[in-house]
Amino acid sequence: GTITKLSASMVVPDAPTRSGAEPAFWFGVQTAAGDGALIQPIMAKWIGDKYEAFHEIFDWTDRHDEAGEKLAVSPGDLITASVACVDETCRAYDMVLSSRDLGKQTSYRYELEDGQSAAETTAYFVLEHQPTGCAQYPPNGRALFTNVTLEVDGELVPEPEWRAEQESP
């Protein structure tokens, strides 16, 4: 079925002790074939010497990328985010992302491209931009998503089954 809502919280991890990678921790929704919009709140992306949290869409339909307002977030901050379809057609999704420590919330609406016929049916939790060494990861070895809620066709999925995958060992 169509994912109608996905939400989660995450404590921003400790800063890596070495640069050279830009690890990004996010969740998102996409078509099963991966050929439509990838709608993703980026909970924490290490850039230079800080973390940023923001909304991003990469749309495989026409291969364009767009992003919302970036919040400079610090280790220990609680980030809460959601992706939810706007109405019963699910041709548009609203994203909301908030930072506890900043006391700030940002939102972003994305309308699916006319060329996308498949529904958003696949949910991901991802570590992207895989570091090449341990010092490029958070030093405590943790990036934990909590309070995960998934709704499919407007119904809560009480115990979603998740499968671990690794693109590049």
Side-chain angles (χ1 to χ4, degrees), residues 15-159:
T17 57
R18 192 172 64 111
S19 63
E22 294 183 344
F25 307 95
W26 56 267
F27 69 86
V29 298
Q30 189 173 37
T31 65
D35 58 359
L38 173 56
I39 304 168
Q40 55 194 19
I42 310 291
M43 305 292 273
K45 181 175 183 181
W46 183 253
I47 298 180
D49 62 350
K50 65 180 179 181
Y51 278 111
E52 292 181 331
F54 55 96
H55 300 112
E56 185 173 18
I57 295 92
F58 185 85
D59 199 321
W60 293 95
T61 308
D62 62 2
R63 304 185 71 77
H64 86 273
D65 188 31
E66 59 185 82
E69 176 186 6
K70 293 182 169 142
L71 302 177
V73 295
S74 300
D77 192 355
L78 178 67
I79 306 300
T80 303
S82 65
V83 174
C85 63
V86 174
D87 59 27
E88 63 279 345
T89 68
C90 284
R91 295 297 300 167
Y93 281 81
D94 279 342
M95 292 185 283
V96 177
L97 186 142
S98 65
S99 158
R100 176 195 64 204
D101 292 356
L102 295 175
K104 189 165 184 178
Q105 177 175 296
T106 181
S107 61
Y108 197 89
R109 177 170 284 183
Y110 186 72
E111 295 185 22
L112 299 180
E113 298 288 334
D114 291 338
Q116 180 175 330
S117 58
E120 302 283 310
T121 59
T122 303
Y124 298 102
F125 283 83
V126 175
L127 162 60
E128 188 175 20
H129 308 294
Q130 179 178 323
T132 56
C134 292
Q136 294 172 333
Y137 285 103
N140 66 358
R142 297 197 61 148
L144 181 65
F145 291 93
T146 60
N147 302 317
V148 176
T149 301
L150 174 66
E151 292 180 9
V152 175
D153 297 327
E155 299 290 327
L156 178 66
V157 179
E159 294 184 34

